Amino acid sequence: MALYESGEMYLETIYVLSLKNPAVRAIDVSRHMGYSKPSVSRAIGLLKDGGYVDVDENGYLTLTEEGLDIAKKTYERHIMLSEFFASLGVDKEIAKEDACRIEHVISDETFDALKKHFFPDDE
């Protein structure tokens, strides 16, 4: 299953929420993202069918290994690009918004080069 920007956003959201509380439900995702419960339920169903998310009998969401890898990668891009743009003098909120859009389309090669050049201590 090809994963698009919206799928990556859901995985990233589940990951971020799980850092604060290991018990994440669709309603938590809905509140965090500001999406309707039916929209989130549909997306979670697609992610489950794609093998990115598991849902237990109580409705708790867990990222599969593949889902976790994608979520961590997306989140790392978000954080590093936000920091990079802010370091250039971009307003922090604008930096976050721009990073959120760019994190899904930037190539691995370009992101790795930026990371290596501007954040060499993180290697």
Side-chain angles (χ1 to χ4, degrees), residues 40-53:
V40 172
S41 292
R42 175 160 164 58
I44 296 299
L46 292 171
L47 291 170
K48 181 180 175 191
D49 291 345
Y52 300 106
V53 174

Side-chain angles (χ1 to χ4, degrees), residues 10 13 17 25-41:
Y10 278 101
T13 298
L17 291 172
R25 298 172 302 149
I27 189 69
D28 303 319
V29 175
S30 176
R31 288 180 186 141
H32 184 84
M33 297 181 84
Y35 296 162
S36 71
K37 288 186 276 183
S39 294
V40 172
S41 292

